[in-house]
């Protein structure tokens, strides 16, 4: 009977994972039950989200338990099938884990078109592709002529985001680590520019690459990279918080609000200026007047008498000395 090699999570890492956090074991190859298939994993996808799953309950997904096989999407071939919908030899996509063989059951195992490369089922048609497509089109709302910046631009998700945006007629600026990755992003992926975040003049170079500011930030990194993007954001810019690679291995959170909260809790952080929404104002006036008329709202006013005291009242308000709505009784 062939053996099944598995990589287990042995220990929860502190900061950057080390080899000692994993354990290679050899088990008997499992047998599929009724309605199940046995798959020989051929290609295994490694993705940054797995780092979160090595922690205890800190990820947006359930943690991998200690002693359990590390999770992963895989492409493989059906070895034995107890499901009439699958035949031995068929190519499938599944969450097969870090191991030679996996047991799976529809719908968690799907047939894939073997005419397309296996790797593409874990790239453009896999998690990176789903992520790039959804994040860009559903959250980024790209429009021709806008500028999009994407970090980890040479990586699985970033490389796809930039190419999809380019095809929509956007100016696309990548951010990546090192000259080799940046050259690839421009020369082979066709981005308009790519800035190396590891050089000291990174922020100035990013500003040069975005002469019209930034309309969409497809954020994969956070930290210093996001700091450089921040001042360049245009009015009504969209920040798609897809990933925060600079945060994943920190033992102490960075100063300021913890953006991993935005990611993990799917927080919708959106700016607005009420004067942009003039059509809403009559509705608001009508509904508020009704509530006031019915005595359903409690209000408190902080009234200063005399126009000459308006500056004092204003400064006092800015210092928190007002208690309620600040008003001046002019006459
Ligand atoms: N929200 C979702 O559902 C979802 C789904 C999939 C992926 N993601 C996120 O998308 C991002 C990209 O994922 P991927 O699969 O495409 O990985 P990837 O970009 O292929 O690989 C990770 C890259 O992160 C960059 N990186 C690592 N540490 C960094 C740091 N401290 N500062 C700056 N860059 C750093 C490195 O690129 P450089 O050499 O350029 O630094 C590295 O190549 C990740 O943050 C991931 O968590 C989110």
């Amino acid at each position: 009977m062939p053996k099944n090699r598995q990589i287990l999570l042995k220990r929860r890492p502190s900061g950057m994972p080390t080899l000692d956090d994993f354990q290679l074991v050899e088990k008997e190859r499992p047998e599929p039950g009724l309605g199940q298939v046995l798959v020989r994993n051929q290609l295994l996808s490694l993705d940054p989200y797995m780092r979160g799953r090595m922690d205890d309950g800190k990820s947006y997904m359930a943690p991998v338990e200690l002693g359990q096989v590390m999770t992963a999407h895989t492409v493989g071939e059906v070895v034995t099938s107890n499901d009439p919908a699958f035949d031995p030899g068929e190519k499938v996509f599944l969450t097969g884990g870090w191991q030679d063989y996996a047991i799976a059951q529809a719908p968690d195992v799907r047939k894939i078109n073997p005419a397309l490369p296996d790797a593409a089922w874990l790239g453009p048609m896999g998690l990176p592709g789903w992520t790039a497509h959804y994040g860009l089109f559903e959250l980024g709302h790209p429009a021709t002529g806008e500028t999009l910046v994407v970090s980890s631009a040479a990586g699985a998700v970033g490389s796809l985001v930039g190419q999809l945006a380019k095809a929509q007629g956007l100016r696309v600026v990548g951010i990546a680590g090192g000259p080799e990755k940046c050259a690839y992003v421009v020369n082979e992926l066709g981005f308009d520019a790519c800035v190396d975040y590891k050089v000291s003049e990174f922020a100035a170079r990013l500003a040069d690459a975005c002469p019209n500011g930034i309309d969409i930030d497809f954020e994969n990194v956070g930290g210093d990279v996001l700091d450089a993007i921040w001042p360049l954001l245009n009015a009504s810019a969209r920040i798609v918080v897809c990933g925060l690679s600079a945060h994943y291995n920190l033992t102490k959170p960075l100063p300021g609000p913890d953006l991993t909260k935005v990611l993990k809790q799917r927080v919708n952080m959106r700016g607005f200026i009420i004067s942009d929404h003039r059509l809403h104002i009559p509705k608001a006036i009508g509904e508020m007047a009704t509530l006031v008329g019915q005595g359903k709202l409690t209000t408190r006013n902080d009234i200063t008498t005399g126009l000459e005291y308006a500056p004092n009242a204003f400064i006092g308000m800015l210092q928190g000395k007002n208690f309620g709505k600040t008003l001046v009784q002019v006459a």
Side-chain angles (χ1 to χ4, degrees):
M1 173 72 79
K3 297 286 182 197
N4 186 24
R5 291 168 308 147
Q6 299 180 315
I7 308 278
L8 312 181
L9 177 63
K10 183 170 140 203
R11 190 175 71 174
R12 302 211 182 274
S14 163
M16 189 62 80
T18 68
L19 292 179
D20 291 337
D21 300 327
F22 303 97
Q23 184 182 12
L24 172 68
V25 296
E26 209 171 78
K27 299 257 175 76
E28 292 298 311
R29 192 179 79 174
E31 288 299 324
L34 197 65
Q36 294 183 326
V37 293
L38 172 71
V39 178
R40 169 111 172 83
N41 286 327
Q42 290 169 321
L43 206 55
L44 162 74
S45 177
L46 294 180
D47 299 271
Y49 77 84
M50 295 164 181
R51 173 65 188 86
R53 297 198 69 184
M54 296 175 78
D55 288 334
D56 194 2
K58 288 192 229 148
S59 172
Y60 47 89
M61 294 167 89
V64 174
E65 296 301 334
L66 293 178
Q68 293 298 301
V69 179
M70 285 292 293
T71 186
H73 288 160
T74 58
V75 161
E77 209 169 82
V78 175
V79 179
T80 321
S81 174
N82 289 335
D83 177 341
F86 292 91
D87 290 322
E90 280 185 313
K91 279 265 172 191
V92 288
F93 170 95
L94 66 159
T95 305
W98 298 23
Q99 56 187 341
D100 290 318
Y101 293 94
I103 299 284
Q105 187 161 4
D108 298 332
V109 53
R110 281 192 284 115
K111 293 186 202 196
I112 56 174
N113 179 355
L116 297 173
D118 287 359
W121 291 101
L122 299 173
M125 284 92 77
L127 178 73
W130 314 337
T131 306
H133 196 275
Y134 179 82
L136 177 65
F137 293 117
E138 297 298 322
L139 305 179
H141 305 295
T144 307
E146 289 190 326
T147 298
L148 171 137
V149 164
V150 58
S151 41
S152 289
V157 174
S159 61
L160 297 171
V161 168
Q163 292 175 81
L164 292 173
K166 200 66 205 131
Q168 297 290 308
L170 281 82
R171 174 172 173 78
V172 174
V173 177
I175 296 173
E180 201 182 339
K181 285 188 178 179
C182 284
Y184 164 76
V185 165
V186 172
N187 299 334
E188 297 187 42
L189 302 182
F191 288 25
D192 296 287
C194 186
V195 187
D196 180 357
Y197 71 88
K198 292 185 175 167
V199 300
S200 56
E201 328 80 84
F202 165 57
R205 290 197 187 171
L206 184 66
D208 287 345
C210 303
N212 299 321
I214 296 171
D215 300 295
I216 304 173
D217 168 30
F218 197 105
E219 189 56 52
N220 284 325
V221 167
D224 293 345
V225 167
L226 183 54
D227 276 350
I229 288 169
W230 205 256
L232 304 175
L233 294 170
N234 287 334
S236 303
R238 285 80 71 200
I239 303 178
V240 180
V241 183
C242 171
L244 293 165
S245 294
H247 297 241
Y248 296 159
N249 296 300
L250 295 175
T251 44
K252 267 197 289 182
L254 296 172
D258 178 8
L259 281 184
T260 60
K261 177 101 178 166
V262 174
L263 180 64
K264 290 178 191 169
Q265 302 289 74
R266 295 80 160 158
V267 171
N268 185 355
M269 187 171 169
R270 189 191 150 185
F272 81 101
I273 304 289
I274 188 56
S275 50
D276 294 342
H277 305 280
R278 293 185 198 283
L279 294 179
H280 183 85
I281 292 174
K283 181 175 185 228
I285 292 172
E287 291 186 10
M288 299 308 264
T290 302
L291 292 173
V292 171
Q294 292 171 343
K296 289 189 176 162
L297 288 180
T298 300
T299 56
R300 178 180 175 125
N301 298 317
D302 184 327
I303 304 178
T304 297
T305 303
L307 178 64
E308 63 277 26
Y309 296 113
N312 308 60
F314 174 69
I315 292 164
M317 177 190 72
L318 298 181
Q319 293 172 342
K321 292 186 179 151
N322 62 310
F323 192 160
K325 174 72 196 102
T326 310
L327 301 167
V328 173
Q329 188 76 54
V330 177

